[in-house]
Amino acid sequence: KDDNTKSASVQCILDVAHNADSFREFFRSLGNKYSPSQYSYRVVLGINPRKHIKDLCRVVAEYADFIHLVSSSESAYSVDVCDLQTILLQQCKYEQANMSVQGNGDVLREVIDALYQTVLHNGATRDLATIPLHSESISEELEPEPADDVTEERKMDDAITQATSVDKNDRTQIVIIMGTFHIMNEARKSLGLKCDDDEVDLHEWLNLNHDSQTN
């Protein structure tokens, strides 16, 4: 059978890590299943402005092969993509050629572009709209087995070192959507997944918490 007629799937993982330590733990857990010696990571990233932005960017820059920058439709809940790009370029020394801001922060456009670029890279030829997407929760699918922390860290560092000697064009790409949960509903919609109304739940919780404190 002609390879061009084979179906393709895009591995797409969503995670709402919220600080530098959880970002790093996410990538280490990811590496247990998708070793950087075999996979390259295309990250769609949005960051809450109330977080330690530079620290988060440094971790992502360490692990990501490509970064698509996005922001929430509610600007107060995410860092402007131009500001993120500046931090990644100047503070993290990340290559501009490996970043995308062509969607001007629009989550749908950047997610679709990330998927499209991954399909092209992985040699798929089917129309993007017909490709089955596999969304995975890092907490459910990528939970590391109990092990010595130093050993796990060393294994991941070794895999990253090995990956640097392998051309990323020879590794299978996966898409990772991560950062503030304020981008996740838009990301789920772009993937055709059920929306969990995270932001609505948060607003309701904040209102309830505020009411309980004032009563």
Side-chain angles (χ1 to χ4, degrees):
K1 185 176 180 179
D2 191 332
D3 286 342
N4 290 334
T5 65
K6 293 181 179 179
S7 63
S9 64
V10 176
Q11 293 292 342
C12 185
I13 298 166
L14 288 76
D15 189 76
V16 288
H18 62 281
N19 58 42
D21 287 341
S22 59
F23 266 43
R24 192 173 297 281
E25 183 58 34
F26 166 85
F27 281 110
R28 287 174 179 163
S29 298
L30 183 72
N32 290 335
K33 185 169 184 179
Y34 300 101
S35 171
S37 65
Q38 296 177 296
Y39 294 87
S40 60
Y41 305 150
R42 185 177 288 273
V43 175
V44 179
L45 177 68
I47 296 179
N48 189 315
R50 297 171 181 81
K51 303 300 182 180
H52 296 287
I53 301 168
K54 293 179 182 178
D55 291 341
L56 297 178
C57 285
R58 288 190 182 100
V59 175
V60 175
E62 180 181 346
Y63 292 94
D65 296 282
F66 305 90
I67 304 175
H68 296 255
L69 300 176
V70 299
S71 58
S72 169
S73 56
E74 298 185 53
S75 59
Y77 294 125
S78 58
V79 181
D80 181 80
V81 293
C82 291
D83 293 336
L84 279 180
Q85 184 181 41
T86 298
I87 292 171
L88 285 163
L89 287 172
Q90 298 181 0
Q91 303 292 326
C92 307
K93 308 304 180 184
Y94 199 77
E95 293 289 337
Q96 185 167 7
N98 293 335
M99 278 190 286
S100 171
V101 291
Q102 65 178 17
N104 295 318
D106 185 82
V107 177
L108 173 62
R109 289 178 60 186
E110 285 294 353
V111 169
I112 293 300
D113 184 60
L115 294 171
Y116 178 68
Q117 296 300 330
T118 300
V119 167
L120 290 182
H121 173 87
N122 293 344
T125 57
R126 294 187 62 188
D127 183 77
L128 186 59
T130 67
I131 293 175
L133 300 173
H134 299 294
S135 173
E136 302 178 9
S137 168
I138 193 72
S139 60
E140 296 176 359
E141 297 292 337
L142 301 179
E143 194 69 32
E145 296 180 359
D148 179 73
D149 291 340
V150 176
T151 302
E152 288 301 315
E153 182 176 350
R154 186 179 298 114
K155 285 170 59 180
M156 186 61 179
D157 290 343
D158 290 345
I160 293 172
T161 300
Q162 182 180 353
T164 60
S165 65
V166 180
D167 192 324
K168 60 189 173 187
N169 290 325
D170 295 331
R171 290 179 275 148
T172 301
Q173 280 187 15
I174 61 175
V175 175
I176 302 158
I177 304 173
M178 68 182 305
T180 176
F181 66 79
H182 291 286
I183 69 169
M184 289 302 168
N185 269 349
E186 295 170 74
R188 290 189 186 102
K189 289 177 183 177
S190 69
L191 296 172
L193 301 175
K194 178 182 177 181
C195 296
D196 290 341
D197 293 327
D198 291 331
E199 294 183 30
V200 173
D201 291 343
L202 176 63
H203 289 311
E204 290 179 352
W205 180 86
L206 290 174
N207 289 333
L208 287 172
N209 190 51
H210 177 268
D211 291 343
S212 66
Q213 291 178 352
T214 55
N215 289 336

